[in-house]
Amino acid sequence: YCVEFRTESLSQHCALEARPYARWMRYLREGHTVCVACQPPAMSTATQRCAGDGHNAHGDKILHWEAIGNSQCQGTWKKIQQLEHCSCPLVHSFIFT
């Protein structure tokens, strides 16, 4: 499944990322909608969910995220909706880890 989030805030460290495999961090923006896929091995076999997917978060609950590979690139987002059938666009798409 996938979850759509609206990025509320992010640290300035995301924009400073220059390593080739992590340049995607520079394109994160406040107010953008991002789509995050929950796939094995991030999915718990017991719950069939990914940690941090905002399962019980609705309305204005602020959730925190952190980029893998650069712990200084972090921020907050709000859950928009969960999609049982992923249709994430090629840009602004991520995977839970």
Side-chain angles (χ1 to χ4, degrees):
Y1 66 93
C2 292
V3 183
E4 288 183 342
F5 295 96
R6 185 179 63 247
T7 306
E8 296 292 315
S9 68
L10 61 146
S11 66
Q12 64 186 20
H13 297 283
C14 302
L16 302 175
E17 183 57 68
R19 294 171 292 176
Y21 66 88
R23 284 190 188 137
W24 61 268
M25 294 178 201
R26 297 190 317 200
Y27 298 101
L28 292 169
R29 297 288 183 269
E30 290 180 10
H32 279 190
T33 297
V34 296
C35 186
V36 189
C38 178
Q39 304 173 354
M43 185 182 291
S44 164
T45 54
T47 65
Q48 295 296 297
R49 304 205 67 81
C50 284
D53 70 355
H55 177 60
N56 292 319
H58 300 287
D60 289 335
K61 185 168 184 181
I62 302 282
L63 304 168
H64 294 271
W65 58 267
E66 180 179 302
I68 295 293
N70 181 351
S71 62
Q72 293 182 318
C73 178
Q74 54 187 282
T76 60
W77 57 19
K78 291 181 183 178
K79 179 182 173 182
I80 297 171
Q81 66 177 329
Q82 180 175 318
L83 307 169
E84 293 308 320
H85 301 286
C86 295
S87 57
C88 292
L90 293 176
V91 295
H92 301 126
S93 297
F94 306 95
I95 299 174
F96 286 106
T97 58

